[in-house]
């Protein structure tokens, strides 16, 4: 044992040296030459040490590091339960599929039931609804918040409505007060896609709460550009013990058993119960109560996450400061619509949104092209308008599979006129000032 620890110590010391030599970030920024990414991995030697440490244990599948992360992340969020999964998209899939469980009785979502959402966002917020056979009901969003127009909720409601599933756009919380009140009034489920908003706060019911914890289920993504990363990875969280058990069942092949990896007979009736039409005493580890998946993480991913979690409060604050610097620096440009935080919120920003006004004398694509030519990375607001994409071709032709409330006017404006730039913690102040100067130069050069 002593030799093992000695070898591990030597290996980890070399990892520190390797990080310093190969991965330590450069402090040199040259305007127009250094690439300004919209996002990226923000890490130091601690993530690499945890990664190598966990790999030496060679557990590989979800194990001690995963359980450690789930416990600590739930505590950080202020919720009772957290389930790690292999991506934010899988987190959304698990969050939605949990609500289709027969264990929920009359409240379960069935095929043909409706789920209110928005078309302006990332597709995997909506994909699970369609894949299951439920019907997304799309409502418009507002500017400059880029979130659901809550005045359309009642119009979107029908006797078939079972849930609302929407994202907090680029870290800006949607109007949780109005959405939660609507869901409570109609007995609906609320899923918060929190993948782009980890650390955002919303004042509700007399206190500040982290987004993702107000609804019945929240989801997070740990893809590299997000607030924290495991490379790939995601999480589903809730305060409801039944939903937590169902989420884990769908994640872990659909099994009825809730034993963690490497542990047997937690329930103490592994060979004594009768399930379905199986014989009495059939091994509970191989009883399946849902048609599930295998969406677990590896312990090595979770080890990286444990190190990232120690930085998360600082990451949120740096993102807020970077966003505020951009907002102040771009204030007053008449041809651009700048973002505004939702009332009663403290966003943990994922990016900085810019919308080109109609009649500005230049287009979004011209502005994006100019910024990219100056080594500033840009992104559109994901799908823009989901229903305009090829994946919806057949549904558009048949007129079946989804419903739109009113006109998606702001959604289409965002599809055509909106871009965003980064605020991630790896940005140096010089990069932020360079982005401000470059945008101002472009706009002033297109004055009519």
């Amino acid at each position: 044992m002593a030799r093992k620890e000695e070898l591990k110590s030597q290996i980890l010391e070399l990892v520190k040296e390797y990080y310093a030599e190969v991965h330590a970030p450069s402090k040199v920024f040259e305007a127009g030459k250094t690439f300004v990414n919209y996002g990226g991995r923000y890490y130091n030697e601690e993530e690499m040490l945890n990664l190598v440490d966990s790999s030496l244990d060679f557990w590989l599948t979800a194990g001690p590091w995963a359980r450690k992360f789930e416990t600590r992340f739930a505590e950080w969020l202020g919720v009772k339960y957290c389930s790690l999964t292999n991506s934010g998209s899988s987190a959304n899939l698990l969050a939605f599929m949990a609500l289709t469980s027969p264990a929920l009785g009359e409240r379960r979502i069935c095929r043909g039931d409706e789920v209110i959402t928005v078309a302006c966002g990332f597709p995997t917020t909506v994909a699970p609804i369609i894949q299951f056979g439920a019907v997304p009901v799309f409502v418009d969003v507002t500017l400059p918040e880029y979130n659901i127009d809550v005045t359309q909720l009642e119009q979107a409601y029908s006797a078939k409505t079972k849930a609302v599933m929407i994202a907090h756009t680029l870290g800006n919380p949607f109007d949780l007060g109005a959405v939660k009140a609507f869901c409570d009034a109609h007995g609906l489920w609320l899923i918060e896609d929190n993948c782009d908003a980890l650390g955002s706060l919303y004042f509700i019911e007399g206190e500040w709460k982290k987004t993702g914890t107000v609804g019945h289920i929240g989801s997070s993504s740990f893809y590299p550009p997000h607030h924290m990363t495991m490379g790939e990875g995601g999480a589903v969280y809730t305060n409801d013990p039944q939903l937590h058990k169902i989420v884990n069942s769908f994640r872990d092949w659909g099994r009825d058993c809730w034993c963690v990896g490497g542990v047997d007979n937690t329930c103490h009736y592994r060979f004594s119960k009768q399930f379905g039409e199986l014989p009495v005493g059939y091994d509970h580890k191989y009883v399946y109560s849902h048609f599930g998946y295998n969406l677990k993480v590896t312990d090595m991913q979770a080890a990286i996450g444990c190190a990232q979690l120690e930085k998360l409060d600082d990451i949120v604050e740096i993102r807020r400061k970077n966003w505020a610097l951009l907002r102040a620096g771009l204030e007053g440009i008449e041809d651009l619509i700048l973002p505004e935080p939702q009332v009663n919120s403290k966003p943990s920003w994922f990016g900085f949104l810019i919308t080109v006004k109609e009649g500005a004398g230049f287009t979004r694509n011209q502005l994006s092209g100019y910024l990219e030519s100056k080594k500033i990375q840009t992104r559109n607001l994901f799908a823009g308008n989901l229903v305009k994409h090829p994946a919806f071709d057949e549904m558009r032709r048949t007129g079946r599979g989804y419903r739109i409330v009113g006109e998606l006017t702001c959604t289409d404006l965002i599809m055509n006129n909106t871009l965003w730039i980064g605020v991630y913690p790896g940005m140096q102040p010089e990069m932020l000032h360079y982005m401000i100067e470059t945008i101002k130069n472009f706009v002033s050069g297109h004055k009519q």
Side-chain angles (χ1 to χ4, degrees):
M1 182 62 70
R3 179 59 175 159
K4 170 188 170 183
E5 294 304 318
E6 179 185 353
L7 287 171
K8 178 181 279 192
S9 178
Q10 291 174 7
I11 291 168
L12 295 181
E13 283 300 318
L14 287 171
V15 169
K16 291 179 185 179
E17 291 182 30
Y18 187 84
Y19 168 82
E21 183 68 27
V22 177
H23 288 274
S26 171
K27 299 296 184 182
V28 178
F29 172 71
E30 294 185 66
K33 294 183 178 179
T34 304
F35 202 70
V36 183
N37 296 293
Y38 80 91
R41 302 166 300 175
Y42 181 72
Y43 66 101
N44 60 18
E45 64 184 36
E46 297 301 326
E47 283 79 359
M48 296 190 72
L49 289 168
N50 277 15
L51 175 61
V52 173
D53 193 347
S54 64
S55 71
L56 294 175
D57 293 337
F58 212 66
W59 188 286
L60 302 184
T61 59
W65 284 99
R67 291 194 288 276
K68 181 187 298 185
F69 180 88
E70 287 174 336
T71 299
R72 292 181 179 178
F73 192 52
E75 291 172 353
W76 187 87
L77 288 165
V79 296
K80 294 179 180 177
Y81 308 105
C82 169
S83 304
L84 266 176
T85 185
N86 59 5
S87 73
S89 299
S90 292
N92 282 341
L93 174 63
L94 290 170
F96 177 80
M97 289 303 296
L99 302 183
T100 71
S101 172
L104 299 176
E106 293 183 358
R107 290 202 67 189
R108 67 180 292 203
I109 297 174
C110 298
R111 289 172 178 81
D113 285 339
E114 294 183 346
V115 179
I116 297 172
T117 188
V118 298
C120 182
F122 201 75
T124 55
T125 311
V126 175
I129 302 168
I130 295 170
Q131 290 163 347
F132 174 72
V135 178
V137 178
F138 295 111
V139 301
D140 207 1
V141 297
T142 62
L143 284 171
E145 299 85 5
Y146 298 88
N147 278 311
I148 187 169
D149 183 351
V150 296
T151 66
Q152 296 187 357
L153 285 171
E154 289 294 344
Q155 186 181 353
Y157 179 77
S158 79
K160 294 182 178 180
T161 306
K162 285 288 185 71
V164 175
M165 184 173 180
I166 41 179
H168 300 288
T169 303
L170 285 199
N172 199 15
F174 58 78
D175 188 344
L176 267 165
V179 174
K180 186 175 186 300
F182 170 77
C183 290
D184 289 347
H186 294 287
L188 307 177
W189 298 107
L190 173 57
I191 300 176
E192 294 179 69
D193 180 340
N194 201 39
C195 291
D196 294 341
L198 188 58
S200 291
L201 299 172
Y202 188 91
F203 193 77
I204 188 169
E205 297 172 346
E207 62 179 318
W208 288 101
K209 294 184 178 181
K210 289 188 170 77
T211 54
T213 70
V214 176
H216 297 92
I217 307 179
S219 62
S220 282
S221 172
F222 305 132
Y223 193 65
H226 283 94
H227 291 67
M228 58 175 288
T229 185
M230 295 181 183
E232 300 283 356
V236 185
Y237 30 95
T238 183
N239 283 308
D240 187 317
Q242 183 183 32
L243 292 178
H244 175 61
K245 181 180 177 182
I246 294 169
V247 165
N248 284 352
S249 176
F250 273 105
R251 182 193 63 181
D252 302 349
W253 306 284
R255 66 181 186 175
D256 196 75
C257 171
W258 58 86
C259 292
V260 299
V263 177
D264 290 342
N265 207 25
T266 303
C267 60
H268 302 296
Y269 51 70
R270 183 179 170 192
F271 298 109
S272 61
K273 287 280 187 175
Q274 200 270 326
F275 301 93
E277 296 185 4
L278 292 168
V280 174
Y282 197 84
D283 188 348
H284 191 218
K285 289 185 73 71
Y286 294 97
V287 173
Y288 301 93
S289 50
H290 299 99
F291 295 105
Y293 317 92
N294 178 4
L295 301 177
K296 298 188 299 299
V297 296
T298 67
D299 229 32
M300 293 177 288
Q301 289 172 272
I304 297 170
C306 287
Q308 287 272 284
L309 192 50
E310 298 298 319
K311 300 176 173 65
L312 189 49
D313 287 325
D314 290 337
I315 287 170
V316 169
E317 286 308 311
I318 296 170
R319 284 181 172 273
R320 286 176 177 153
K321 288 178 182 178
N322 288 350
W323 186 93
L325 195 155
L326 288 175
R327 185 64 176 76
L330 297 172
E331 181 68 40
I333 301 179
E334 294 181 357
D335 293 319
L336 303 179
I337 299 173
L338 300 182
E340 294 286 351
Q342 171 63 40
V343 175
N344 295 325
S345 78
K346 295 178 183 178
S348 173
W349 297 101
F350 186 49
F352 189 91
L353 285 152
I354 298 171
T355 296
V356 177
K357 291 182 180 178
E358 297 286 357
F362 58 89
T363 67
R364 184 267 313 280
N365 284 359
Q366 287 174 323
L367 175 56
S368 291
Y370 182 79
L371 293 175
E372 296 278 354
S373 75
K374 301 296 182 180
K375 306 294 185 183
I376 298 170
Q377 196 173 39
T378 68
R379 289 291 184 266
N380 291 351
L381 186 49
F382 307 129
N385 184 344
L386 266 174
V387 300
K388 299 291 180 72
H389 285 256
F392 278 78
D393 284 351
E394 183 177 351
M395 285 188 281
R396 280 199 304 273
R397 284 196 299 269
T398 62
R400 295 193 300 270
Y402 67 96
R403 185 161 65 85
I404 295 176
V405 176
E407 301 292 330
L408 300 181
T409 305
C410 282
T411 300
D412 284 339
L413 177 65
I414 290 166
M415 174 181 66
N416 291 310
N417 290 35
T418 298
L419 62 89
W420 61 276
I421 53 179
V423 297
Y424 88 106
M427 285 187 168
Q428 301 167 32
E430 295 84 357
M431 294 178 176
L432 297 163
H433 290 296
Y434 173 63
M435 289 195 289
I436 292 168
E437 178 187 353
T438 305
I439 291 169
K440 285 183 172 180
N441 287 342
F442 174 84
V443 174
S444 64
H446 287 78
K447 287 289 187 184
Q448 293 181 324

